Amino acid sequence: MSEYVKVASTGEIAPGQMMPIEAKGVKLLLARVGDAYFAAQRKCPHLGFNLCRGKLEGRAVVCPLHKAKFDLATGEIERDPRLLFIGMKAKSDLATYPTKIEDGAVLVAI
């Protein structure tokens, strides 16, 4: 059974930004798109690069190493990794975690 854990306050992260967080020992990234908050695994499922160093494109995160693109709401791959002109296949979707806001706190279900 999942338990919601406070990971940040709503004022700690601006719209269009990401930040590294940890919940119950699980290393995640927290992203804010408009007024929506998304939590996902911090490492790219392709080669494990830190996605917090990537960029947001709408509600998707782009890996800074291989340009793989993942939907933060569903975890689905929107674009497979590429290195220069070499196309690759992502190993799996991105793990995502439910979020909710209570009393100005961002909570993530772990």
Side-chain angles (χ1 to χ4, degrees):
M1 179 115 189
S2 295
E3 174 186 341
Y4 278 90
V5 177
K6 180 182 176 182
V7 294
S9 68
T10 54
E12 286 182 69
I13 184 169
Q17 298 295 311
M18 293 185 290
M19 64 187 271
I21 58 168
E22 193 169 315
K24 290 192 155 192
V26 180
K27 293 181 179 184
L28 304 171
L29 72 81
L30 180 66
R32 182 174 175 187
V33 179
D35 290 329
Y37 294 82
F38 300 96
Q41 72 185 70
R42 193 182 306 174
K43 291 187 174 184
C44 178
H46 180 240
L47 286 178
F49 205 73
N50 184 349
L51 291 173
C52 288
R53 295 183 178 173
K55 66 177 183 172
L56 285 175
E57 288 184 4
R59 69 172 201 185
V61 61
V62 177
C63 177
L65 184 63
H66 292 106
K67 308 304 180 221
K69 185 176 178 182
F70 301 91
D71 185 308
L72 287 168
T74 65
E76 292 178 359
I77 299 164
E78 291 186 357
R79 180 174 60 229
D80 278 319
R82 292 192 62 78
L83 187 58
L84 299 174
F85 55 88
I86 302 168
M88 300 171 237
K89 282 301 236 183
K91 294 178 183 176
S92 64
D93 289 341
L94 192 67
T96 59
Y97 299 82
T99 62
K100 67 180 180 178
I101 306 300
E102 284 185 359
D103 300 322
V106 182
L107 307 172
V108 175
I110 295 291

